[in-house]
Amino acid sequence: MSIERLVVIGGDAAGMSAASQARRLKGPGELEIVAFERGHFTSYSACGIPYWVGGDVTARDDLIARTPEEHRARGIDLRLRTEVTEIDVARRRVRARDVDSGARSWTSYDKLVVATGARPVRPDLPGMDAEGVHGVQTLDDGQALLDTLARARGRRAVVVGAGYIGVEMAEALINRGYEVTVVNRGSEPMSTLDPDMGRLVHAAMTGLGITMVNDAEVTALLADADGRVRAVVTKDAQYPADVVVLGIGVRPETALAKAAGLPLGAHGGLLTDLAMRVRGHEEIWAGGDCVEVLDLVSGQERHIALGTHANKHGQVIGANVGGGYATFPGVVGTAVSKVCDLEIARTGLREKDARRVGLQLETVTIESTNRAGYYPGASPMTVKMLAERRTGRLLGVQIVGREGAGKRVDIAAVALTAGMTVEQMTALDLGYAPPFSPVWDPVLVAARKAAAKVRNL
């Protein structure tokens, strides 16, 4: 029996999860696995980089789930510092370049996994290549930022963008003792929330000493005579900076796939079927931040770059490559973050998302507490809930509050996945004790109010 070869492009969550799962199902005598990774590290938590930069995580290696040596010990031919530069679909081979030596070679495959991840958005603006300007996507990026912080001449930081990465990096830099300004082109931080909920995040960030500049488009970065960044420029002002962190978001890293003629969606991500197989290509799979996924609420394809999805994609791909069967049905768009002690969570659709796909909706916003009001440490929590008009189907939930607020969004994520109505949610049997929740959990209070609003139409 001939030995098949699986080639994996990308050595982080999706790629190495796929390789590891395939190896569990098929030994080296049945399946040869070759994995290419252009960086220095594999199988690490990119989501943990802001907390490493901020000092909550003390060592870089704490973010690494499995080292290259551990992968190799399991029979995976892992090639670090090797970048795939071309996919030849017709001849089933990939061309790779050794990043250090420049040497190039072809490797054939029987099955291919594309897990090239995403790249930080880096606008084509004057001064963007100045020293001290950083995107944060990989461990190499995190190390480069820490090196800059260690030798920075001053303590002024500007974060461009106020999404998840932007607010998390603002916290990290505050923890490092920097004076932080966040320049945001939106009306409020956290565009994944509706603006009324983003306003709560804005107030909390300002209270932490972060200067928020909203409705501001960056037009250039200025550098000093040594080529180091010294200011961020908008139409109306300049903001001094000894370091600049880009938190504008990410895009699927699919230039390689596009050049190979693989199908891309409206957001630039690879399109796959339920088995994570690239559409129209029986022997090519893709997963992680380079793919688009089905939004189970709107029914449309979305690009959502999260490690939770990437690991699941890898498990599905590895099962299918290894001769088993698995599918990835889609997502509801759940995410949670924090800035210092403020927890921020969302799942499902925002108001504009719902309207974009033609849904009519009702919204309610309630104020509650994370614990019984009389219990020590009770703190305020705001919950916003969206429901479809007439049917009462849950469409989305956003939560902003202190301890215990963020993970409450999981209640709504399960309800969304199950297609529940807000009326059905009111009967959920959630855990209660005064240290953990009021007798009516804030999510259920919002559900009751939403159900009453829908019922009275």
Side-chain angles (χ1 to χ4, degrees), residues 81-434:
R81 302 288 290 159
T82 309
E83 181 179 16
V84 173
T85 58
E86 183 180 349
I87 302 172
D88 185 343
V89 174
R91 299 177 70 176
R92 291 194 179 185
R93 60 179 187 167
V94 301
R95 194 179 192 195
R97 176 181 67 89
D98 185 293
V99 174
D100 299 314
S101 71
R104 298 175 185 268
S105 61
W106 288 98
T107 302
S108 62
Y109 66 81
D110 298 293
K111 297 177 179 180
L112 176 68
V113 174
V114 181
T116 45
R119 66 184 184 279
V121 174
R122 199 177 186 97
D124 185 16
L125 295 174
M128 193 57 69
D129 294 329
E131 184 180 341
V133 180
H134 295 269
V136 184
Q137 182 70 12
T138 68
L139 285 189
D140 291 296
D141 295 336
Q143 187 62 63
L145 174 58
L146 282 170
D147 292 344
T148 292
L149 296 177
R151 62 175 180 265
R153 295 173 176 176
R155 310 293 291 179
R156 298 167 301 180
V158 174
V159 178
V160 181
Y164 289 105
I165 293 296
V167 299
E168 289 169 0
M169 291 309 305
E171 174 186 355
L173 293 164
I174 282 284
N175 289 345
R176 287 275 175 183
Y178 275 72
E179 176 187 325
V180 178
T181 300
V182 177
V183 179
N184 174 39
R185 68 180 179 181
S187 61
E188 297 292 351
M190 297 298 293
S191 62
T192 54
L193 305 177
D194 289 321
D196 54 337
M197 297 295 281
R199 242 171 259 126
L200 302 176
V201 181
H202 182 168
M205 293 177 72
T206 301
L208 294 167
I210 298 169
T211 301
M212 283 297 308
V213 183
N214 290 321
D215 295 313
E217 189 83 29
V218 174
T219 57
L221 276 68
L222 302 181
D224 61 20
D226 296 326
R228 294 186 179 91
V229 69
R230 65 176 179 84
V232 172
V233 181
T234 69
K235 180 181 177 181
D236 301 315
Q238 290 187 18
Y239 302 95
D242 301 295
V243 62
V244 173
V245 177
L246 304 177
I248 309 172
V250 298
R251 295 195 180 113
E253 182 64 272
T254 50
L256 190 64
K258 182 178 181 180
L262 301 181
L264 305 183
H267 305 283
L270 277 156
L271 296 176
T272 67
D273 61 18
L274 286 172
M276 301 307 298
R277 184 183 284 105
V278 174
R279 295 178 192 174
H281 296 268
E282 284 296 310
E283 302 303 327
I284 304 178
W285 286 260
D289 294 353
C290 66
V291 306
E292 296 186 13
V293 294
L294 177 65
D295 185 313
L296 297 174
V297 187
S298 70
Q300 297 191 335
E301 303 287 342
R302 295 179 61 185
H303 177 246
I304 303 177
L306 281 176
T308 51
H309 303 160
N311 279 285
K312 291 171 188 173
H313 295 168
Q315 289 290 308
V316 169
I317 293 168
N320 292 317
V321 168
Y325 176 70
T327 61
F328 184 80
V331 303
V332 294
T334 307
V336 63
S337 186
K338 77 178 188 74
V339 54
C340 294
D341 68 339
L342 184 75
E343 300 181 5
I344 309 157
R346 53 98 63 203
T347 189
L349 306 180
R350 298 166 297 180
E351 289 190 46
K352 67 179 182 180
D353 300 325
R355 295 191 177 99
R356 187 183 298 125
V357 297
L359 291 169
Q360 294 186 338
L361 69 149
E362 298 294 333
T363 71
V364 298
T365 302
I366 65 100
E367 304 288 337
S368 186
T369 55
N370 61 338
R371 300 170 178 167
Y374 56 79
Y375 193 86
S379 60
M381 181 188 311
T382 303
V383 179
K384 181 174 183 177
M385 185 169 287
L386 286 63
E388 186 175 18
R389 188 171 294 169
R390 299 187 187 281
T391 70
R393 177 171 67 107
L394 180 67
L395 296 179
V397 171
Q398 299 162 35
I399 304 175
V400 176
R402 261 68 188 185
E403 182 185 358
K407 288 295 284 180
R408 271 185 166 86
V409 81
D410 290 343
I411 304 167
V414 173
L416 281 168
T417 304
M420 295 178 70
T421 67
V422 288
E423 185 77 52
Q424 289 170 327
M425 287 183 68
T426 63
L428 288 174
D429 184 13
L430 304 183
Y432 160 70

